[in-house]
Amino acid sequence: PVYALREAAHLIAGGDRPEPVIVETNDEFEDLAEDFNMMSDALHRHRSEMEALVESRTAELRQAEAWLGELVRSSADAIVGLDQSHRITLWNRGAHDLFGYRPAEVQGAQLSDLIGAGSAREARFIEEALARSGAIVGFSTRRRTKDGLSIPVSLTQTAVQRPGDEVIGYSVIFRDERPRELLEQQMR
């Protein structure tokens, strides 16, 4: 009986569900085998519940990830993801519409090489704001489109950090300010 219980325990440890251990000795071994079988059934139920929970949460996570991805992709504002070296890792539809570059054209490129970085003074100001607070919000500036046109934009840049404050990249959002400029001109 001990060897039968031991074999069944090895199967459980390996993730399998053993057949019930049948021991008919009318003593403690039979009682132990019955308790072992109850424990084996309880473990199997618990494992099944945990697997179902993990599967459910994984599906929820995939659904949330797909929704967030679509939210970023379809945003009217230009959303750009940068790695630590300021190379483009994400370029949404709004960025394509605003600057004229397709995602395949910009992947891995330096953002400043494509659309400019403003003056050296402006670049220092943005860099200092990022170092100080991790973000710069609603900064009015100008950037260059693919066909060389200088356009007014509002820039929001945020450092993306891991726990422990390690910067792993940047999120940059550009909003086209041409409609606002046009409205201001009309009001004047």
Side-chain angles (χ1 to χ4, degrees):
V2 172
Y3 290 119
L5 289 169
R6 183 175 169 210
E7 281 297 315
H10 284 288
L11 288 171
I12 290 171
D16 295 327
R17 183 177 187 191
E19 292 295 320
V21 177
I22 307 297
V23 176
E24 296 177 350
T25 56
N26 284 335
D27 59 11
E28 305 82 29
F29 285 119
E30 188 173 337
D31 294 340
L32 181 63
E34 288 174 13
D35 291 343
F36 181 88
N37 290 331
M38 286 192 308
M39 179 198 66
S40 176
D41 290 342
L43 280 172
H44 179 71
R45 278 192 309 276
H46 181 69
R47 179 178 285 146
S48 296
E49 290 168 4
M50 289 295 108
E51 287 172 354
L53 180 62
V54 166
E55 191 175 307
S56 167
R57 296 287 166 85
T58 301
E60 289 172 11
L61 186 60
R62 283 188 182 125
Q63 188 177 25
E65 186 178 303
W67 185 82
L68 284 172
E70 191 53 40
L71 185 74
V72 168
R73 270 189 296 282
S74 62
S75 175
D77 287 334
I79 300 177
V80 181
L82 304 175
D83 65 13
Q84 292 171 309
S85 303
H86 298 273
R87 294 195 177 282
I88 298 169
T89 59
L90 180 135
W91 187 264
N92 78 338
R93 188 177 324 159
H96 170 252
D97 294 344
L98 184 60
F99 296 112
Y101 293 99
R102 296 195 176 282
E105 295 177 277
V106 301
Q107 195 68 27
Q110 289 282 339
L111 182 63
S112 59
D113 291 345
L114 294 175
I115 65 170
S119 67
R121 183 174 170 228
E122 178 182 306
R124 269 193 317 279
F125 177 78
I126 292 170
E127 200 173 297
E128 289 169 3
L130 287 170
R132 186 175 48 258
S133 66
I136 185 164
V137 179
F139 182 74
S140 292
T141 186
R142 298 188 78 79
R143 292 296 184 263
R144 187 179 59 242
T145 65
K146 183 177 181 178
D147 46 359
L149 183 66
S150 175
I151 60 170
V153 294
S154 170
L155 175 145
T156 295
Q157 185 168 346
T158 307
V160 179
Q161 298 174 319
R162 282 195 178 120
D165 295 334
E166 177 192 0
V167 175
I168 58 171
Y170 301 90
S171 161
V172 188
I173 300 173
F174 294 98
R175 177 164 286 161
D176 189 351
E177 292 293 324
R178 288 176 289 188
R180 183 187 55 78
E181 267 193 5
L182 181 62
L183 185 62
E184 284 177 359
Q185 287 174 359
Q186 288 172 348
M187 291 182 71
R188 275 189 229 123

